[in-house]
Amino acid sequence: MRRTLSRRSFRAVGALTLAFTLAGTLSAVPAYADPGPNLKVTATVPDGRWLRDDTIPIDLTITNIGDATATEVKAQGSTYSGPYYGFDPNTWGELSHDGPGATFQAGESRTYRLTGRIWGAEAGNPVVRLDVATPADTDFGDNSVDVPVNVIPPETTERVAGQVYGDKNRDGQLTPGEELAGLKALVGGPGIPTELSVLTDAAGRFSFDAVPVGAIRVLYFRDDPDGWLFPEGDVMRLDGSGKYQNQSVQGRQPLEKDLQAKIAFDKARYAPGETAKVTVTLTNSGASPLSGLYATCGDPRGTDIDLKIPQEQWGAFGPAQAGTLAAGERLTLTLTGQVPEKAQYFGKTVLDCGFNGKTYLRGPWASAEAAVPGKRADSRGLAWVDKNRNYQPDDGEGLPNTTVTLSTKDHRLVSLAKTDAKGFVTFPNVAAGEYEFRAVGPWKAVHDSTIQHVAPPYGSEWWVQLEPR
Ligand SMILES: [Ca+2]
Ligand SMILES: [Ca+2]
Ligand SMILES: [Ca+2]
Protein backbone atom coordinates (compact mmCIF):
# COMPACT_ATOMS: atom_id res chain seq x y z
CA MET A 1 0.00 0.00 0.00
CA ARG A 2 2.71 2.48 0.95
CA ARG A 3 4.66 1.72 -2.19
CA THR A 4 1.65 2.18 -4.43
CA LEU A 5 0.89 5.57 -2.90
CA SER A 6 4.40 6.89 -3.34
CA ARG A 7 4.56 5.74 -6.94
CA ARG A 8 1.28 7.47 -7.64
CA SER A 9 2.42 10.73 -6.19
CA PHE A 10 5.54 10.58 -8.35
CA ARG A 11 3.43 10.44 -11.44
CA ALA A 12 1.24 13.27 -10.37
CA VAL A 13 4.12 15.59 -9.59
CA GLY A 14 6.78 15.96 -12.27
CA ALA A 15 6.02 13.83 -15.27
CA LEU A 16 8.78 15.38 -17.42
CA THR A 17 11.56 14.87 -14.93
CA LEU A 18 10.42 11.35 -14.22
CA ALA A 19 10.12 10.53 -17.87
CA PHE A 20 13.74 11.52 -18.33
CA THR A 21 15.23 9.75 -15.34
CA LEU A 22 12.91 6.79 -14.87
CA ALA A 23 11.65 6.09 -18.38
CA GLY A 24 12.78 2.49 -18.38
CA THR A 25 11.28 1.70 -15.00
CA LEU A 26 7.90 3.27 -15.78
CA SER A 27 7.37 1.49 -19.06
CA ALA A 28 8.08 -1.77 -17.32
CA VAL A 29 5.17 -1.23 -14.88
CA PRO A 30 1.76 -1.41 -16.67
CA ALA A 31 -0.96 0.89 -15.19
CA TYR A 32 -3.58 -1.86 -14.93
CA ALA A 33 -1.41 -3.68 -12.45
CA ASP A 34 -2.13 -1.02 -9.80
CA PRO A 35 -4.79 -2.03 -7.31
CA GLY A 36 -7.38 0.66 -6.56
CA PRO A 37 -10.02 2.77 -8.35
CA ASN A 38 -9.22 4.11 -11.79
CA LEU A 39 -11.63 6.48 -13.49
CA LYS A 40 -11.52 6.84 -17.25
CA VAL A 41 -13.40 9.63 -18.98
CA THR A 42 -14.74 10.16 -22.49
CA ALA A 43 -17.05 12.93 -23.75
CA THR A 44 -18.87 13.92 -26.92
CA VAL A 45 -21.25 16.59 -28.12
CA PRO A 46 -24.39 14.74 -29.30
CA ASP A 47 -25.09 14.94 -33.04
CA GLY A 48 -26.94 18.07 -34.05
CA ARG A 49 -26.66 21.15 -36.15
CA TRP A 50 -25.75 23.31 -33.18
CA LEU A 51 -25.93 27.07 -33.40
CA ARG A 52 -23.92 29.56 -31.43
CA ASP A 53 -26.99 30.72 -29.51
CA ASP A 54 -28.15 27.19 -28.60
CA THR A 55 -27.85 25.47 -25.27
CA ILE A 56 -25.37 22.79 -26.34
CA PRO A 57 -25.13 19.52 -24.41
CA ILE A 58 -21.98 17.52 -23.71
CA ASP A 59 -22.33 13.85 -22.79
CA LEU A 60 -19.70 12.92 -20.22
CA THR A 61 -19.09 9.20 -19.67
CA ILE A 62 -17.20 8.10 -16.56
CA THR A 63 -16.07 4.46 -16.19
CA ASN A 64 -14.28 2.96 -13.22
CA ILE A 65 -11.82 0.59 -14.93
CA GLY A 66 -10.01 -0.03 -11.65
CA ASP A 67 -10.61 -2.87 -9.21
CA ALA A 68 -11.86 -0.86 -6.22
CA THR A 69 -14.79 1.48 -5.56
CA ALA A 70 -14.20 5.11 -6.49
CA THR A 71 -15.69 7.57 -4.04
CA GLU A 72 -15.98 11.37 -3.90
CA VAL A 73 -16.04 11.41 -7.71
CA LYS A 74 -16.23 15.01 -8.89
CA ALA A 75 -15.91 16.67 -12.26
CA GLN A 76 -15.22 20.09 -13.67
CA GLY A 77 -14.85 21.64 -17.06
CA SER A 78 -13.34 24.72 -18.61
CA THR A 79 -12.75 26.21 -22.03
CA TYR A 80 -9.39 25.00 -23.29
CA SER A 81 -9.36 27.05 -26.51
CA GLY A 82 -11.66 29.11 -28.73
CA PRO A 83 -14.65 31.20 -27.59
CA TYR A 84 -15.73 30.78 -23.98
CA TYR A 85 -18.17 27.92 -23.34
CA GLY A 86 -19.89 28.31 -19.96
CA PHE A 87 -21.63 25.42 -18.23
CA ASP A 88 -25.13 26.00 -16.93
CA PRO A 89 -25.34 26.41 -13.16
CA ASN A 90 -26.38 23.15 -11.47
CA THR A 91 -25.45 21.08 -14.51
CA TRP A 92 -22.93 19.01 -12.53
CA GLY A 93 -25.46 17.33 -10.22
CA GLU A 94 -23.79 14.68 -8.05
CA LEU A 95 -20.43 15.44 -9.68
CA SER A 96 -20.48 18.98 -8.28
CA HIS A 97 -17.46 20.19 -6.35
CA ASP A 98 -19.83 21.65 -3.78
CA GLY A 99 -21.23 18.21 -2.86
CA PRO A 100 -19.90 14.92 -1.46
CA GLY A 101 -19.30 13.52 -4.96
CA ALA A 102 -20.53 10.35 -6.65
CA THR A 103 -19.58 6.71 -6.10
CA PHE A 104 -18.58 4.27 -8.87
CA GLN A 105 -18.22 0.57 -8.15
CA ALA A 106 -15.39 -1.24 -9.94
CA GLY A 107 -16.47 -1.70 -13.55
CA GLU A 108 -19.36 0.75 -13.29
CA SER A 109 -19.97 3.28 -16.06
CA ARG A 110 -22.41 6.22 -16.25
CA THR A 111 -23.07 9.00 -18.71
CA TYR A 112 -24.06 12.52 -17.62
CA ARG A 113 -25.62 15.08 -19.91
CA LEU A 114 -24.03 18.44 -19.15
CA THR A 115 -25.33 21.64 -20.71
CA GLY A 116 -23.88 25.03 -21.42
CA ARG A 117 -23.66 27.79 -23.96
CA ILE A 118 -21.08 29.65 -25.95
CA TRP A 119 -20.84 33.11 -24.41
CA GLY A 120 -17.67 34.37 -26.07
CA ALA A 121 -17.85 36.43 -29.25
CA GLU A 122 -14.53 35.14 -30.60
CA ALA A 123 -14.66 33.30 -33.94
CA GLY A 124 -14.23 29.55 -34.24
CA ASN A 125 -15.31 26.63 -32.09
CA PRO A 126 -14.56 26.07 -28.41
CA VAL A 127 -12.64 23.08 -27.15
CA VAL A 128 -13.83 22.19 -23.66
CA ARG A 129 -11.60 20.28 -21.25
CA LEU A 130 -13.31 18.00 -18.74
CA ASP A 131 -11.53 16.62 -15.66
CA VAL A 132 -12.81 13.90 -13.37
CA ALA A 133 -11.22 13.03 -10.04
CA THR A 134 -11.43 10.48 -7.24
CA PRO A 135 -8.98 10.71 -4.34
CA ALA A 136 -6.97 7.55 -5.01
CA ASP A 137 -7.09 7.17 -8.79
CA THR A 138 -4.31 4.78 -9.87
CA ASP A 139 -3.79 6.48 -13.24
CA PHE A 140 -4.46 10.14 -13.78
CA GLY A 141 -3.56 9.94 -17.45
CA ASP A 142 -7.13 9.05 -18.51
CA ASN A 143 -9.05 11.43 -16.22
CA SER A 144 -9.14 14.32 -18.63
CA VAL A 145 -10.60 14.74 -22.09
CA ASP A 146 -10.87 17.57 -24.62
CA VAL A 147 -14.17 17.90 -26.49
CA PRO A 148 -14.57 20.09 -29.57
CA VAL A 149 -17.93 21.90 -29.53
CA ASN A 150 -18.57 22.42 -33.21
CA VAL A 151 -21.28 24.81 -34.33
CA ILE A 152 -22.64 25.99 -37.67
CA PRO A 153 -20.42 28.97 -38.59
CA PRO A 154 -22.44 32.08 -37.67
CA GLU A 155 -21.76 33.68 -41.05
CA THR A 156 -23.76 30.87 -42.71
CA THR A 157 -26.95 31.99 -44.44
CA GLU A 158 -29.85 30.15 -45.96
CA ARG A 159 -32.82 30.81 -48.21
CA VAL A 160 -36.27 31.41 -46.72
CA ALA A 161 -39.14 31.43 -49.19
CA GLY A 162 -42.77 30.57 -49.70
CA GLN A 163 -46.19 31.68 -50.80
CA VAL A 164 -48.86 33.68 -48.97
CA TYR A 165 -52.58 33.46 -49.51
CA GLY A 166 -55.73 34.77 -47.94
CA ASP A 167 -58.08 31.88 -47.28
CA LYS A 168 -61.21 33.68 -48.51
CA ASN A 169 -63.38 30.56 -48.69
CA ARG A 170 -62.13 29.27 -45.31
CA ASP A 171 -61.33 25.80 -46.64
CA GLY A 172 -57.85 25.79 -45.08
CA GLN A 173 -55.97 25.68 -48.37
CA LEU A 174 -54.83 27.83 -51.24
CA THR A 175 -57.68 28.15 -53.71
CA PRO A 176 -56.79 29.80 -57.06
CA GLY A 177 -57.39 33.52 -56.76
CA GLU A 178 -56.44 33.68 -53.07
CA GLU A 179 -52.74 34.56 -53.67
CA LEU A 180 -51.78 37.78 -51.88
CA ALA A 181 -49.59 40.01 -54.06
CA GLY A 182 -47.67 43.12 -53.00
CA LEU A 183 -47.54 42.16 -49.33
CA LYS A 184 -44.49 43.15 -47.31
CA ALA A 185 -42.76 40.06 -45.87
CA LEU A 186 -40.13 40.53 -43.16
CA VAL A 187 -37.63 38.33 -41.36
CA GLY A 188 -36.01 39.37 -38.10
CA GLY A 189 -34.42 37.97 -34.99
CA PRO A 190 -31.49 38.35 -32.58
CA GLY A 191 -28.34 39.26 -34.47
CA ILE A 192 -30.21 40.76 -37.43
CA PRO A 193 -29.99 44.49 -36.65
CA THR A 194 -32.36 45.52 -39.45
CA GLU A 195 -35.19 43.26 -40.56
CA LEU A 196 -34.90 41.87 -44.05
CA SER A 197 -37.87 42.72 -46.20
CA VAL A 198 -39.27 41.76 -49.60
CA LEU A 199 -42.62 42.16 -51.40
CA THR A 200 -44.68 39.21 -52.54
CA ASP A 201 -45.04 38.81 -56.32
CA ALA A 202 -48.25 38.33 -58.28
CA ALA A 203 -48.40 34.69 -57.16
CA GLY A 204 -48.01 35.68 -53.52
CA ARG A 205 -44.44 34.34 -53.52
CA PHE A 206 -41.63 35.76 -51.42
CA SER A 207 -37.96 34.82 -51.21
CA PHE A 208 -35.13 35.86 -48.88
CA ASP A 209 -31.95 34.50 -50.42
CA ALA A 210 -29.54 34.89 -47.52
CA VAL A 211 -30.93 34.95 -43.99
CA PRO A 212 -28.23 34.55 -41.29
CA VAL A 213 -28.58 31.33 -39.28
CA GLY A 214 -29.94 31.64 -35.74
CA ALA A 215 -32.13 29.79 -33.27
CA ILE A 216 -34.81 32.50 -33.35
CA ARG A 217 -35.92 33.81 -36.72
CA VAL A 218 -39.41 35.17 -37.23
CA LEU A 219 -41.29 35.67 -40.48
CA TYR A 220 -44.11 38.20 -40.46
CA PHE A 221 -46.16 40.37 -42.76
CA ARG A 222 -47.10 44.05 -42.85
CA ASP A 223 -49.00 46.55 -44.96
CA ASP A 224 -51.92 44.31 -45.69
CA PRO A 225 -54.88 46.51 -46.63
CA ASP A 226 -57.49 43.78 -46.23
CA GLY A 227 -56.92 42.92 -42.57
CA TRP A 228 -55.74 39.33 -43.02
CA LEU A 229 -54.44 37.72 -39.86
CA PHE A 230 -51.22 35.73 -40.27
CA PRO A 231 -49.63 33.24 -37.89
CA GLU A 232 -47.65 35.21 -35.34
CA GLY A 233 -44.78 34.18 -33.17
CA ASP A 234 -43.91 31.04 -35.16
CA VAL A 235 -40.18 30.70 -34.65
CA MET A 236 -37.96 29.38 -37.43
CA ARG A 237 -34.72 27.78 -36.33
CA LEU A 238 -32.34 28.44 -39.20
CA ASP A 239 -29.39 26.05 -39.00
CA GLY A 240 -28.32 26.15 -42.64
CA SER A 241 -30.27 23.06 -43.61
CA GLY A 242 -32.73 24.99 -45.78
CA LYS A 243 -35.94 23.70 -44.21
CA TYR A 244 -37.90 26.90 -44.80
CA GLN A 245 -37.72 27.32 -48.57
CA ASN A 246 -41.21 26.17 -49.39
CA GLN A 247 -43.56 27.68 -46.83
CA SER A 248 -47.26 28.04 -47.35
CA VAL A 249 -48.51 30.90 -45.23
CA GLN A 250 -52.24 31.13 -44.65
CA GLY A 251 -53.92 34.43 -43.97
CA ARG A 252 -57.29 34.31 -42.26
CA GLN A 253 -59.98 36.88 -41.85
CA PRO A 254 -61.04 37.35 -38.24
CA LEU A 255 -64.14 35.31 -37.51
CA GLU A 256 -65.81 38.41 -36.07
CA LYS A 257 -65.96 39.81 -39.60
CA ASP A 258 -68.36 37.07 -40.72
CA LEU A 259 -69.99 35.95 -37.49
CA GLN A 260 -72.27 38.25 -35.50
CA ALA A 261 -73.47 37.31 -32.05
CA LYS A 262 -76.21 38.83 -29.87
CA ILE A 263 -77.48 37.89 -26.44
CA ALA A 264 -80.79 39.06 -24.92
CA PHE A 265 -82.50 38.30 -21.61
CA ASP A 266 -86.25 37.70 -21.81
CA LYS A 267 -86.95 40.11 -18.93
CA ALA A 268 -85.37 43.30 -17.62
CA ARG A 269 -85.26 42.09 -14.00
CA TYR A 270 -85.18 38.82 -12.10
CA ALA A 271 -85.37 37.57 -8.54
CA PRO A 272 -82.34 35.72 -7.14
CA GLY A 273 -82.65 31.98 -7.86
CA GLU A 274 -85.17 32.54 -10.65
CA THR A 275 -84.68 30.73 -13.95
CA ALA A 276 -83.85 33.27 -16.63
CA LYS A 277 -84.27 32.69 -20.32
CA VAL A 278 -81.81 34.11 -22.84
CA THR A 279 -81.82 34.17 -26.60
CA VAL A 280 -78.51 33.87 -28.42
CA THR A 281 -78.58 34.87 -32.07
CA LEU A 282 -75.70 33.87 -34.33
CA THR A 283 -75.54 35.16 -37.90
CA ASN A 284 -73.09 34.14 -40.60
CA SER A 285 -73.00 37.22 -42.81
CA GLY A 286 -70.08 35.84 -44.83
CA ALA A 287 -70.08 34.09 -48.19
CA SER A 288 -68.69 30.78 -46.88
CA PRO A 289 -70.01 28.18 -44.44
CA LEU A 290 -68.60 28.20 -40.91
CA SER A 291 -67.87 25.04 -38.94
CA GLY A 292 -66.27 23.90 -35.70
CA LEU A 293 -67.99 26.75 -33.87
CA TYR A 294 -68.36 26.90 -30.10
CA ALA A 295 -69.30 29.28 -27.32
CA THR A 296 -67.35 29.99 -24.14
CA CYS A 297 -69.17 31.89 -21.44
CA GLY A 298 -67.87 33.23 -18.20
CA ASP A 299 -67.62 36.26 -16.04
CA PRO A 300 -64.49 38.17 -17.00
CA ARG A 301 -64.69 40.21 -13.79
CA GLY A 302 -64.64 37.10 -11.62
CA THR A 303 -67.62 38.26 -9.57
CA ASP A 304 -69.52 35.01 -10.09
CA ILE A 305 -72.83 36.71 -10.77
CA ASP A 306 -73.10 35.38 -14.31
CA LEU A 307 -76.00 33.24 -15.42
CA LYS A 308 -74.87 29.61 -15.38
CA ILE A 309 -75.99 27.90 -18.59
CA PRO A 310 -75.68 24.10 -18.45
CA GLN A 311 -73.20 23.09 -21.17
CA GLU A 312 -75.53 20.60 -22.83
CA GLN A 313 -77.94 23.41 -23.76
CA TRP A 314 -75.40 24.67 -26.28
CA GLY A 315 -75.70 21.43 -28.28
CA ALA A 316 -73.11 21.34 -31.07
CA PHE A 317 -71.92 24.81 -29.97
CA GLY A 318 -70.83 23.41 -26.59
CA PRO A 319 -67.65 21.49 -25.74
CA ALA A 320 -68.12 19.34 -28.87
CA GLN A 321 -66.99 22.43 -30.84
CA ALA A 322 -69.06 21.28 -33.80
CA GLY A 323 -71.43 24.17 -34.47
CA THR A 324 -72.05 24.99 -38.12
CA LEU A 325 -73.63 27.93 -39.92
CA ALA A 326 -74.26 28.01 -43.67
CA ALA A 327 -73.46 31.20 -45.55
CA GLY A 328 -76.14 33.74 -44.69
CA GLU A 329 -77.68 31.53 -41.99
CA ARG A 330 -79.14 32.96 -38.78
CA LEU A 331 -79.48 30.65 -35.82
CA THR A 332 -81.36 31.31 -32.59
CA LEU A 333 -80.58 29.33 -29.47
CA THR A 334 -82.88 29.58 -26.47
CA LEU A 335 -81.07 28.86 -23.22
CA THR A 336 -82.06 28.91 -19.58
CA GLY A 337 -80.02 29.28 -16.41
CA GLN A 338 -80.50 30.05 -12.75
CA VAL A 339 -79.84 33.58 -11.52
CA PRO A 340 -77.17 33.24 -8.77
CA GLU A 341 -78.17 34.32 -5.24
CA LYS A 342 -75.03 36.46 -5.20
CA ALA A 343 -76.36 38.57 -8.09
CA GLN A 344 -78.62 40.58 -5.75
CA TYR A 345 -75.57 42.01 -3.95
CA PHE A 346 -74.43 43.47 -7.28
CA GLY A 347 -77.94 44.38 -8.40
CA LYS A 348 -77.55 42.50 -11.68
CA THR A 349 -76.76 39.27 -13.44
CA VAL A 350 -74.77 39.02 -16.67
CA LEU A 351 -74.07 36.65 -19.50
CA ASP A 352 -70.78 37.18 -21.37
CA CYS A 353 -69.93 34.76 -24.17
CA GLY A 354 -67.18 34.48 -26.74
CA PHE A 355 -67.77 32.65 -29.99
CA ASN A 356 -64.96 30.95 -31.80
CA GLY A 357 -64.12 28.20 -34.23
CA LYS A 358 -61.49 25.52 -34.08
CA THR A 359 -59.71 26.86 -37.16
CA TYR A 360 -60.61 30.55 -36.95
CA LEU A 361 -59.06 33.54 -35.28
CA ARG A 362 -60.66 36.31 -33.22
CA GLY A 363 -64.32 35.50 -32.94
CA PRO A 364 -66.97 37.93 -31.65
CA TRP A 365 -68.04 38.54 -28.06
CA ALA A 366 -71.54 39.28 -26.90
CA SER A 367 -72.93 40.14 -23.51
CA ALA A 368 -76.14 41.17 -21.83
CA GLU A 369 -77.23 41.98 -18.32
CA ALA A 370 -80.45 42.14 -16.35
CA ALA A 371 -81.31 43.73 -13.02
CA VAL A 372 -81.55 41.64 -9.85
CA PRO A 373 -82.96 44.09 -7.30
CA GLY A 374 -83.08 43.43 -3.59
CA LYS A 375 -80.09 44.60 -1.61
CA ARG A 376 -79.65 48.14 -0.36
CA ALA A 377 -76.64 49.53 1.47
CA ASP A 378 -74.70 52.71 2.09
CA SER A 379 -72.38 53.52 -0.81
CA ARG A 380 -69.13 55.06 0.35
CA GLY A 381 -66.17 56.27 -1.62
CA LEU A 382 -63.54 58.91 -2.23
CA ALA A 383 -63.46 61.77 -4.71
CA TRP A 384 -59.85 62.81 -5.31
CA VAL A 385 -57.58 64.88 -7.49
CA ASP A 386 -54.08 63.59 -8.30
CA LYS A 387 -52.22 66.81 -7.48
CA ASN A 388 -48.75 65.22 -7.47
CA ARG A 389 -49.47 63.05 -10.53
CA ASN A 390 -48.30 59.77 -9.04
CA TYR A 391 -51.50 57.94 -10.07
CA GLN A 392 -52.62 57.30 -6.51
CA PRO A 393 -54.58 59.25 -3.90
CA ASP A 394 -52.33 60.76 -1.23
CA ASP A 395 -53.02 62.81 1.91
CA GLY A 396 -54.52 66.13 1.00
CA GLU A 397 -55.74 64.98 -2.43
CA GLY A 398 -59.39 64.36 -1.42
CA LEU A 399 -61.90 66.81 -2.89
CA PRO A 400 -63.34 68.36 0.33
CA ASN A 401 -66.76 69.81 1.14
CA THR A 402 -68.13 69.42 -2.35
CA THR A 403 -71.66 68.46 -3.37
CA VAL A 404 -71.69 65.19 -5.29
CA THR A 405 -74.47 63.16 -6.90
CA LEU A 406 -75.32 59.61 -7.80
CA SER A 407 -77.54 59.03 -10.87
CA THR A 408 -78.78 56.04 -12.78
CA LYS A 409 -77.27 55.38 -16.19
CA ASP A 410 -80.32 57.06 -17.72
CA HIS A 411 -79.56 60.20 -15.67
CA ARG A 412 -82.21 59.96 -12.94
CA LEU A 413 -80.88 61.47 -9.71
CA VAL A 414 -80.69 58.86 -6.95
CA SER A 415 -78.82 60.57 -4.15
CA LEU A 416 -77.13 63.84 -3.30
CA ALA A 417 -74.48 64.30 -0.58
CA LYS A 418 -71.45 66.32 0.44
CA THR A 419 -67.86 65.13 0.70
CA ASP A 420 -66.16 65.51 4.09
CA ALA A 421 -62.92 67.38 4.78
CA LYS A 422 -60.92 64.45 3.37
CA GLY A 423 -63.00 63.93 0.22
CA PHE A 424 -64.98 60.92 1.45
CA VAL A 425 -68.72 60.70 0.91
CA THR A 426 -71.52 58.30 1.90
CA PHE A 427 -74.73 57.97 -0.08
CA PRO A 428 -77.14 56.31 2.37
CA ASN A 429 -79.27 53.24 1.63
CA VAL A 430 -78.68 52.92 -2.11
CA ALA A 431 -79.92 49.92 -4.12
CA ALA A 432 -77.07 47.73 -5.39
CA GLY A 433 -76.22 48.43 -9.02
CA GLU A 434 -74.36 50.67 -11.41
CA TYR A 435 -74.44 54.47 -11.12
CA GLU A 436 -72.94 57.64 -12.52
CA PHE A 437 -71.00 59.84 -10.10
CA ARG A 438 -70.76 63.61 -10.52
CA ALA A 439 -69.18 66.44 -8.52
CA VAL A 440 -70.96 69.77 -8.67
CA GLY A 441 -68.63 72.47 -9.91
CA PRO A 442 -65.81 72.60 -12.45
CA TRP A 443 -64.90 68.90 -12.15
CA LYS A 444 -64.97 65.94 -14.47
CA ALA A 445 -63.95 62.31 -14.05
CA VAL A 446 -60.47 61.45 -15.35
CA HIS A 447 -61.32 57.92 -16.49
CA ASP A 448 -64.77 56.61 -15.78
CA SER A 449 -67.46 58.12 -13.63
CA THR A 450 -69.27 54.79 -13.31
CA ILE A 451 -69.61 53.34 -9.82
CA GLN A 452 -70.40 49.70 -9.17
CA HIS A 453 -72.30 49.82 -5.91
CA VAL A 454 -71.99 46.36 -4.36
CA ALA A 455 -73.65 45.48 -1.04
CA PRO A 456 -71.66 43.99 1.87
CA PRO A 457 -69.93 41.60 2.26
CA TYR A 458 -68.86 41.84 -1.41
CA GLY A 459 -68.64 45.59 -1.78
CA SER A 460 -65.82 47.95 -0.95
CA GLU A 461 -65.19 51.67 -1.05
CA TRP A 462 -64.85 53.11 -4.52
CA TRP A 463 -62.56 55.89 -5.75
CA VAL A 464 -63.35 58.41 -8.44
CA GLN A 465 -60.49 60.50 -9.76
CA LEU A 466 -61.44 64.01 -10.84
CA GLU A 467 -59.71 66.82 -12.70
CA PRO A 468 -60.66 70.40 -13.45
CA ARG A 469 -63.07 70.60 -16.32
CA1 LIG B 1 -7.85 7.25 -14.15
CA1 LIG C 1 -59.00 28.56 -49.68
CA1 LIG D 1 -51.34 61.42 -5.88
Side-chain angles (χ1 to χ4, degrees):
M1 191 63 189
R2 287 259 158 257
R3 257 179 4 154
T4 316
L5 268 178
S6 61
R7 188 162 61 210
R8 223 174 15 244
S9 26
F10 273 161
R11 288 191 194 172
V13 178
L16 274 177
T17 322
L18 286 171
F20 181 70
T21 56
L22 299 173
T25 321
L26 278 173
S27 60
V29 182
Y32 60 78
D34 293 343
N38 182 5
L39 297 180
K40 177 182 161 58
V41 61
T42 58
T44 57
V45 172
D47 285 345
R49 299 184 63 86
W50 301 110
L51 297 167
R52 271 191 91 124
D53 42 3
D54 281 331
T55 289
I56 305 174
I58 296 178
D59 287 341
L60 170 70
T61 301
I62 302 172
T63 307
N64 182 1
I65 60 172
D67 56 11
T69 302
T71 58
E72 298 174 52
V73 177
K74 299 180 182 183
Q76 61 185 11
S78 58
T79 307
Y80 177 70
S81 66
Y84 175 68
Y85 174 96
F87 285 95
D88 292 339
N90 308 323
T91 199
W92 298 102
E94 63 175 1
L95 301 174
S96 167
H97 271 258
D98 300 331
T103 298
F104 281 71
Q105 304 300 325
E108 193 175 356
S109 182
R110 289 201 293 277
T111 298
Y112 297 84
R113 173 149 294 188
L114 309 173
T115 55
R117 295 177 69 100
I118 299 174
W119 296 101
E122 192 180 328
N125 293 318
V127 173
V128 174
R129 175 161 292 180
L130 290 155
D131 293 293
V132 174
T134 186
D137 200 302
T138 60
D139 172 17
F140 283 105
D142 53 5
N143 286 35
S144 178
V145 64
D146 289 346
V147 200
V149 179
N150 295 330
V151 298
I152 306 292
E155 61 276 16
T156 308
T157 62
E158 70 174 87
R159 182 169 176 265
V160 170
Q163 190 176 24
V164 202
Y165 68 99
D167 190 19
K168 288 196 180 89
N169 64 358
R170 294 189 187 275
D171 68 350
Q173 49 195 337
L174 170 56
T175 308
E178 292 182 338
E179 301 87 354
L180 293 179
L183 203 60
K184 189 176 190 179
L186 301 105
V187 169
I192 303 182
T194 308
E195 299 99 333
L196 310 171
S197 109
V198 295
L199 291 180
T200 58
D201 67 11
R205 295 196 173 278
F206 62 91
S207 176
F208 299 88
D209 293 330
V211 182
V213 293
I216 299 170
R217 297 289 178 256
V218 182
L219 169 70
Y220 56 102
F221 299 89
R222 288 287 180 271
D223 301 342
D224 163 40
D226 298 321
W228 292 101
L229 302 174
F230 298 102
E232 280 199 359
D234 286 355
V235 170
M236 297 183 293
R237 180 191 151 79
L238 299 190
D239 60 8
S241 58
K243 281 191 299 254
Y244 296 96
Q245 296 189 60
N246 201 7
Q247 303 188 69
S248 177
V249 180
Q250 185 192 74
R252 289 181 281 181
Q253 285 291 334
L255 178 61
E256 64 187 5
K257 197 170 171 187
D258 288 348
L259 179 63
Q260 283 80 48
K262 257 169 48 184
I263 296 179
F265 280 91
D266 72 331
K267 296 199 298 180
R269 56 188 58 221
Y270 299 93
E274 188 180 346
T275 296
K277 193 160 91 176
V278 292
T279 306
V280 176
T281 309
L282 297 172
T283 308
N284 178 3
S285 63
S288 306
L290 298 171
S291 61
L293 299 175
Y294 61 93
T296 316
C297 303
D299 178 6
R301 287 162 226 90
T303 47
D304 216 19
I305 57 166
D306 53 315
L307 195 69
K308 302 288 189 289
I309 309 285
Q311 288 282 15
E312 62 271 16
Q313 291 193 18
W314 287 100
F317 288 80
Q321 304 192 349
T324 57
L325 281 175
E329 182 179 354
R330 167 171 300 187
L331 177 79
T332 302
L333 296 164
T334 304
L335 312 170
T336 54
Q338 202 181 31
V339 175
E341 293 290 332
K342 197 178 170 186
Q344 62 189 310
Y345 293 86
F346 292 72
K348 64 178 179 183
T349 184
V350 297
L351 184 60
D352 280 319
C353 300
F355 300 89
N356 245 305
K358 274 193 281 195
T359 59
Y360 309 134
L361 298 170
R362 209 160 68 194
W365 275 87
S367 71
E369 58 180 67
V372 182
K375 292 286 178 196
R376 301 185 76 89
D378 291 354
S379 180
R380 181 173 165 81
L382 170 70
W384 66 289
V385 180
D386 192 14
K387 293 177 187 166
N388 64 358
R389 297 177 186 273
N390 68 347
Y391 307 103
Q392 60 189 38
D394 300 294
D395 281 352
E397 291 188 337
L399 184 68
N401 310 316
T402 304
T403 300
V404 291
T405 64
L406 215 53
S407 313
T408 59
K409 283 194 285 180
D410 53 0
H411 311 300
R412 281 183 299 112
L413 182 68
V414 172
S415 189
L416 186 135
K418 199 165 197 176
T419 59
D420 66 14
K422 291 189 162 179
F424 283 95
V425 62
T426 301
F427 297 105
N429 197 32
V430 178
E434 196 173 285
Y435 297 95
E436 293 294 319
F437 175 91
R438 291 230 156 65
V440 174
W443 301 103
K444 63 177 170 119
V446 173
H447 306 290
D448 191 0
S449 57
T450 305
I451 284 170
Q452 303 291 341
H453 171 43
V454 179
Y458 304 111
S460 56
E461 284 183 1
W462 39 262
W463 295 349
V464 176
Q465 187 188 346
L466 302 169
E467 63 185 359
R469 207 192 285 277

